[in-house]
């Protein structure tokens, strides 16, 4: 007599909500990062202010999205790696993802706390300066600078890891997020 074993419906990619959040946040964050560094090369004050305030507005919009994304990780359906990643490698990838989230929140929080004056979110809503102490603002500016560099490194590492797994090791890692 033959037993019928039920094959569980194992997920091979993230749910739609996670995928939308991942790609929309990635596009905006990479833009904000590039403009953040490009500001050094903009001599015209008006142009500088436009890009700086747009950048701060976009980063402000990213903040609630990141909080939702962070919380959703604990409720969304699991996407097991299966044969693709095992043991220590799997642990390392999980650890790096945790560090990714941590860095993003340090960048966001230090961005707000370094503000030496308020700004208008997309020219509409007033955002006041949270800490009115220049010394403290300057401290958080150094935190912002340091964490931005670490985050840029992390993004490069992340993309390089995906390319390596996908193109060299021929593992369907990219499919998990498409
Ligand atoms: C993930 C989000 C963010 C990224 C990727 C980012 C990235 C950057 C980068 C690369 C720089 C240049 C750093 C340097 O010169 O070494 C910068 C500067 C700056 N960031 Fe952020 N940042 C983010 C969030 C924020 C937030 C939330 C605020 C405040 C609302 C903020 C306010 C600033 C300010 C005021 C500067 C100085 C340059 C300027 O006047 O715009 N940032 N940021
Ligand atoms: C600012 C840019 C990016 C950030 C902050 C980011 C962040 C993350 C995080 C935290 C995860 C873990 C899953 C999750 O918690 O949602 C993830 C997964 C993934 N990301 Fe990104 N990502 C970025 C850009 C990219 C880019 C440009 C690519 C394309 C090469 C990419 C491809 C993937 C893939 C394929 C996964 C699934 C990998 C896995 O499940 O181990 N990401 N990303």
């Amino acid at each position: 007599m033959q037993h019928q074993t039920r094959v569980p419906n194992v997920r091979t990619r993230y749910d739609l909500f996670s995928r939308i959040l991942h790609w929309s946040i990635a596009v905006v964050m990479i833009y904000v990062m590039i403009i953040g560094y490009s500001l050094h090369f903009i001599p015209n004050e008006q142009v500088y202010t436009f890009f700086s305030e747009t950048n701060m507005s976009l980063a402000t919009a990213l903040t609630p999205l990141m909080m939702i994304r962070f919380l959703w990780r604990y409720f969304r359906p699991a996407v097991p790696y299966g044969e693709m990643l095992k043991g220590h490698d799997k642990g390392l990838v999980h650890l790096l993802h945790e560090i990714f989230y941590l860095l993003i929140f340090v960048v966001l929080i230090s961005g707000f706390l370094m503000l030496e004056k308020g700004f208008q979110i997309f020219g509409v809503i007033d955002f006041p300066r949270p800490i009115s102490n220049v010394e403290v603002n300057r401290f958080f500016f150094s935190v912002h600078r340091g964490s931005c560099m670490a985050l840029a490194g992390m993004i490069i590492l992340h993309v390089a890891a995906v390319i390596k797994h996908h193109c060299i090791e021929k593992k369907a890692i990219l499919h998990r997020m498409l």
Side-chain angles (χ1 to χ4, degrees), residues 121-160:
I121 306 172
F122 297 113
V124 183
I125 306 162
D126 278 328
F127 188 94
R129 174 191 187 190
I131 298 180
S132 311
N133 180 324
V134 184
E135 301 275 295
V136 179
N137 298 147
R138 302 257 158 96
F139 165 74
F140 281 107
F141 184 36
S142 10
V143 174
H144 196 62
R145 288 193 121 169
S147 54
C148 278
M149 277 195 272
L151 181 60
M154 195 70 182
I155 295 172
I156 293 169
L157 185 77
H158 179 63
V159 174

Side-chain angles (χ1 to χ4, degrees), residues 110-129:
S110 59
F112 292 118
L113 302 185
M114 67 174 268
L115 290 177
E116 292 188 18
K117 57 182 170 67
F119 71 99
Q120 282 197 319
I121 306 172
F122 297 113
V124 183
I125 306 162
D126 278 328
F127 188 94
R129 174 191 187 190

Side-chain angles (χ1 to χ4, degrees), residues 65-76:
L65 289 181
M66 272 311 298
M67 291 198 272
I68 294 168
R69 180 173 175 192
F70 180 71
L71 292 175
W72 178 236
R73 288 174 88 208
Y74 296 96
F75 299 98
R76 70 183 173 195

Side-chain angles (χ1 to χ4, degrees), residues 84-85 89 93 159-174:
M84 212 183 295
L85 265 184
D89 286 350
V93 167
V159 174
V162 172
I163 294 172
K164 175 179 166 274
H165 277 101
H166 188 80
C167 300
I168 302 171
E169 297 178 8
K170 305 277 179 225
K171 292 174 181 166
I173 203 95
L174 192 57

